[in-house]
């Protein structure tokens, strides 16, 4: 049965090996002692051996039994380390060096025991002197202790290794290194072999792999700081958000919250060597970055990306935003082409989707959903205005005008009932449009300027003229109607939201939901909303674009999910934008 030996810092010096070999000693003076044969004349007939002991003040470098001319070379080689030194450097064996014979298994075990005891107690000089390359060993061991500063180092002999080496029987041992601030210890197995030096004494055959089996020539081992990790925002469920085209520019703008910081990690790293990548051997303290969880939903984001991709085919710019009315959380945002985020930073008239706010202003001015509001084929402000569907509908009510998106009825009744600037005030005070929003990324606030004349006012009542909004802002309008309360949309919870100075009256919110529901089931939004159950509501928008193809707008909600979409040059609101919005409502909305 073999013995298992454990060595650590603080053990005895173990200098005398009891073999009769001169060994090493701690003396105050440095000297070299030569023992000449008693009779020089007998030298040719007798051994020309000399016992040479090299002792340095404060510690021994090496002790060798030299034979003839080999002794002189070996002393020089050991002291100057012409074979190389350092934590990981290799060495070339000079052609003149005497061949070293492998030690027996028992000798290898004894040499390993003595070497590990010296190394374990931190006596680098003594450990190095017990090798066949003391200077190289001393330099490497010193560098290891300096570059891998342990709190405790324990070396446990494990007896003969399963397979030996070309240098003789191998002796295995286990290294256990403990570090300040680290909860776990670094443990690994290594092995060494022994050779018989001149005179028969067994010493450890030095190689960088004694320190660590992966430490090959030209490589170094040290505790190093790990690269600071990059904070990667996740969705609200912790899912990754990389890979979504619309979020490339968004994620790059997300930074950890104030008061949080990156934790720099430390690890034992094997590096160097031509063409070799650094190898992380053990992590003392892991690096970490503050987790930033966004309000986005990765599954819904995927649907939004695909919906926008389909409607932007042929080069049509498009965008879509989905918001949770109960929280104001932005659940998805997508836009095309990539680059400029038109979903939150764009600005354009929203068409008849603006009639949601115009209707709110009319309801607050005393008009009811059943009030007669005739839909003329053409009306004047004095500019001439008409509808997509030509003809006169004198029996229409406000609800009918909303459901079928009658421009002339809304213009006539608004010019009659509303004061200049009323539309902008309702939009600002009750829907939050025009407030300074803080969403977590740069975004554009709504622009609803006070009209300068009746033509400008008429244009604003049907969502044209100088009004500038985007999908984010109009998704919030739909969310405010569904919930009855404006909650400024956010992409992260730790931002300070804008608060509307007023609140949408409960009866007005109720009437708006009824009109949007009828529009979704019987009006201009019926086609894209077909098949969606539960609490639904929608409003279409079609914007004239100076003789070019009209821009398509659509806002809607289904349960606790509100969506706005726009497609430039997409035609009627119930076509391109409506199809995209309905895809998202179908995937994420619950009645």
């Amino acid at each position: 049965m073999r013995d298992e030996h454990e060595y650590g810092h603080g053990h005895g010096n173990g200098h005398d090996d009891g073999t009769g070999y001169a060994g090493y000693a701690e003396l105050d003076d440095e000297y070299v002692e030569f023992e000449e044969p008693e009779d020089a004349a007998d030298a040719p007939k007798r051994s020309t051996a000399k016992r040479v002991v090299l002792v340095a003040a404060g510690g021994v470098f090496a002790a060798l039994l030299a034979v003839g001319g080999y002794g002189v070379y070996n002393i020089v080689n050991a002291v100057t380390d012409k074979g190389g030194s350092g934590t990981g450097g290799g060495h070339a064996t000079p052609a003149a060096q005497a061949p070293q014979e492998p030690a027996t298994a028992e000798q290898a075990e004894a040499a390993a025991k003595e070497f590990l005891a010296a190394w374990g107690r931190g006596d680098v000089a003594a450990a190095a002197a017990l090798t066949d390359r003391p200077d190289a060993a001393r330099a490497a061991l010193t560098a290891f202790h300096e570059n891998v500063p342990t709190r405790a180092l324990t070396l446990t002999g494990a007896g003969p290794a399963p397979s030996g080496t070309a240098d003789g029987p191998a002796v295995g041992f286990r290294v256990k290194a403990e570090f300040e601030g680290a909860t776990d210890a670094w443990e690994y197995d290594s092995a060494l072999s022994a050779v018989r030096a001149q005179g028969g004494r067994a010493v450890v055959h030095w190689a960088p792999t004694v320190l660590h089996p992966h430490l090959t020539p030209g490589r170094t081992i040290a505790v190093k700081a790990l690269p600071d990790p990059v904070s990667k925002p996740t969705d609200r469920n912790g899912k990754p958000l990389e890979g979504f085209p619309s979020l490339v520019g968004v994620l790059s703008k997300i930074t950890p919250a104030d008061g949080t910081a990156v934790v720099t990690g430390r690890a034992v790293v094997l590096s160097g060597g031509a063409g070799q990548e650094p190898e992380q051997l053990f992590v003392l303290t892991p690096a970490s970055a503050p987790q930033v969880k966004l309000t986005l939903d990765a599954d819904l984001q995927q649907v939004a990306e695909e919906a926008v991709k389909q409607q932007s085919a042929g080069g049509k710019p498009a965008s879509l935003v989905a918001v949770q009315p109960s929280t104001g959380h932005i659940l998805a945002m997508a836009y095309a082409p990539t680059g400029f985020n038109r979903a939150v930073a764009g600005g354009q008239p929203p068409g008849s989707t603006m009639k949601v706010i115009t209707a709110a202003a009319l309801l607050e001015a005393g008009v009811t959903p059943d009030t007669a509001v005739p839909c003329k084929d053409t009306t004047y402000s004095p500019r001439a205005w008409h509808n997509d569907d030509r003809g006169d509908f004198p029996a229409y009510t406000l609800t009918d005008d909303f459901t079928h998106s009658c421009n002339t009825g809304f213009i006539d009744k608004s010019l009659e009932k509303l004061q200049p600037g009323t539309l902008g005030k309702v939009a600002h005070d009750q829907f939050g449009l025009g407030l300074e929003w803080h969403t977590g990324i740069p975004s554009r606030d709504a622009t609803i300027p006070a009209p300068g004349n009746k033509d400008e006012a008429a244009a604003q009542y049907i969502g044209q003229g100088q009004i500038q909004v985007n999908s984010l802002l109009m998704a919030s309008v739909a969310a405010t109607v569904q919930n009855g309360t404006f909650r400024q949309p956010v992409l992260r919870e730790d931002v300070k939201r804008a608060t509307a100075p007023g609140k949408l009256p409960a009866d007005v919110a109720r009437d708006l939901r009824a009109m949007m529901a009828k529009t979704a089931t019987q009006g201009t939004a019926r086609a894209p909303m077909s098949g969606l159950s539960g609490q639904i509501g929608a409003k279409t928008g079609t914007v004239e674009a100076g003789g070019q193809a009209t821009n398509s707008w659509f806002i809607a909600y289904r349960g606790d999910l509100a969506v706005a979409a726009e497609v430039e040059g997409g035609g009627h609101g119930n076509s391109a934008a409506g199809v995209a919005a309905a895809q998202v409502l179908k995937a994420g909305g619950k009645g």
Side-chain angles (χ1 to χ4, degrees):
M1 178 182 296
R2 63 177 175 81
D3 293 329
E4 186 176 82
H5 308 286
E6 184 175 285
Y7 312 99
H9 289 268
H11 290 269
N13 56 30
H15 283 175
D16 185 2
D17 62 5
T19 63
Y21 176 66
Y24 53 88
E26 296 183 357
L27 302 178
D28 294 330
D29 300 318
E30 181 177 323
Y31 68 90
V32 176
E33 179 184 24
F34 296 89
E35 289 189 357
E36 297 289 350
E38 295 179 2
D39 187 351
D42 295 335
K45 301 177 182 178
R46 302 172 58 185
S47 171
T48 56
K50 300 177 181 179
R51 183 168 63 87
V52 182
V53 182
L54 175 64
V55 183
V60 177
F61 285 130
L64 302 173
L65 186 63
V67 180
Y70 295 121
V72 176
Y73 174 82
N74 284 340
I75 291 173
V76 174
N77 188 53
V79 174
T80 63
D81 188 29
K82 289 184 177 179
S85 63
T87 308
H91 67 284
T93 303
Q97 185 171 345
Q100 294 174 316
E101 296 182 4
T104 65
E106 292 76 12
Q107 290 175 322
E109 182 101 19
K113 179 179 179 181
E114 194 172 3
F115 170 80
L116 294 176
W119 180 17
R121 66 174 178 268
D123 194 342
V124 169
L130 294 168
T131 72
D132 60 348
R133 299 183 59 241
D135 277 14
R138 182 168 186 169
L141 288 166
T142 298
F144 183 88
H145 279 272
E146 291 176 351
N147 296 331
V148 187
T150 61
R151 175 173 59 82
L153 181 66
T154 305
L155 307 169
T156 305
S163 60
T165 68
D167 299 307
V171 178
F173 62 94
R174 187 163 186 78
V175 179
K176 180 180 179 181
E178 300 174 71
F179 301 87
E180 292 291 347
T183 55
D184 297 323
W186 177 34
E187 298 188 55
Y188 62 91
D189 295 314
S190 191
L192 56 81
S193 62
V195 294
R196 284 187 289 180
Q198 295 167 16
R201 174 173 169 78
V203 293
V204 171
H205 175 62
W206 179 256
T209 51
V210 172
L211 292 174
H212 191 278
H214 294 178
L215 186 60
T216 54
R219 310 206 76 185
T220 59
I221 189 167
V223 172
K224 295 183 178 182
L226 295 173
D228 286 341
V230 177
S231 179
K232 294 184 178 181
T234 66
D235 84 338
R236 59 179 181 168
N237 298 312
K239 293 182 179 180
L241 293 170
E242 291 84 2
F244 293 114
S246 300
L247 299 184
V248 173
V250 172
L251 300 182
S252 65
K253 295 180 176 65
I254 300 297
T255 57
D258 294 340
T260 60
V262 171
V263 176
T264 300
R266 295 185 305 143
V268 180
V269 179
L270 187 65
S271 57
Q276 298 187 70
E277 293 293 325
E279 179 182 353
Q280 188 172 290
L281 301 176
F282 176 74
V283 176
L284 282 69
T285 52
S288 64
Q291 178 83 350
V292 180
K293 187 174 287 189
L294 302 182
T295 61
L296 295 170
D297 183 289
D299 295 336
L300 201 62
Q301 179 67 30
Q302 182 62 54
V303 177
E305 296 274 3
E306 185 59 31
V308 167
K309 180 180 177 181
Q310 291 175 8
Q311 299 307 322
S312 63
K316 297 185 183 72
S319 68
L320 181 150
V321 172
V323 172
Q324 187 175 41
S326 62
T327 61
H329 291 171
I330 300 172
L331 301 180
M333 66 168 69
Y335 59 93
T338 57
F340 175 66
N341 189 349
R342 63 186 288 120
V344 300
Q348 55 182 304
S352 291
T353 59
M354 191 70 184
K355 289 174 183 172
V356 171
I357 300 178
T358 306
L362 289 172
L363 291 168
E364 292 177 37
V367 179
T368 70
D370 297 327
T371 297
V373 182
C375 181
K376 303 175 183 176
D377 178 75
T378 304
T379 195
Y380 301 90
S381 64
R383 173 188 166 179
W385 300 92
H386 57 79
N387 306 305
D388 287 342
D389 296 330
R390 305 303 296 266
D392 291 305
F393 302 91
Y396 269 16
T397 63
L398 178 64
T399 297
D400 295 327
D401 285 343
F402 188 95
T403 301
H404 299 288
S405 203
C406 176
N407 291 334
T408 58
F410 263 83
I411 290 172
D412 287 344
K413 186 58 68 174
S414 297
L415 289 175
E416 174 192 341
K417 290 289 187 178
L418 303 180
Q419 296 297 317
T422 299
L423 182 68
K425 181 173 175 57
V426 171
H428 178 276
D429 292 355
Q430 298 171 16
F431 288 87
L433 299 186
L435 299 175
E436 184 177 345
W437 288 15
H438 300 280
T439 64
I441 58 172
S443 61
R444 176 172 179 164
D445 300 317
T447 302
I448 307 176
N453 53 53
K454 288 187 176 181
D455 282 349
E456 291 182 1
Q460 289 188 0
Y461 294 143
I462 60 173
Q464 310 227 28
Q466 298 179 340
I467 294 177
Q468 296 285 293
V469 292
N470 51 49
S471 292
L472 172 64
L473 296 164
M474 295 309 292
S476 178
V477 170
T480 300
V481 173
Q482 189 277 343
N483 186 264
T485 301
F486 166 71
R487 289 183 174 84
Q488 188 230 288
V490 293
L491 197 60
R492 53 191 298 172
E493 282 283 15
D494 57 357
V495 295
K496 185 177 181 180
R497 305 191 194 201
T499 304
K503 181 177 172 59
L504 191 65
D507 59 337
V508 172
R510 180 198 63 217
D511 291 341
L512 289 175
R513 285 192 289 271
M515 288 191 286
M516 289 185 71
K518 189 172 183 179
T519 303
T521 56
Q522 303 176 41
T524 56
R526 180 178 56 186
M529 297 293 286
S530 176
L532 296 180
S533 60
Q535 183 200 28
I536 59 173
K539 184 70 191 80
T540 58
T542 306
V543 184
E544 297 178 2
Q548 301 175 357
T550 54
N551 299 334
S552 176
W553 274 88
F554 196 90
I555 66 173
Y557 58 79
R558 183 187 182 207
D560 198 21
L561 178 64
V563 178
E566 55 86 20
V567 181
E568 191 172 317
H572 196 278
N574 65 7
S575 55
V579 171
Q583 284 180 255
V584 175
L585 291 174
K586 181 179 180 180
K590 293 184 176 65

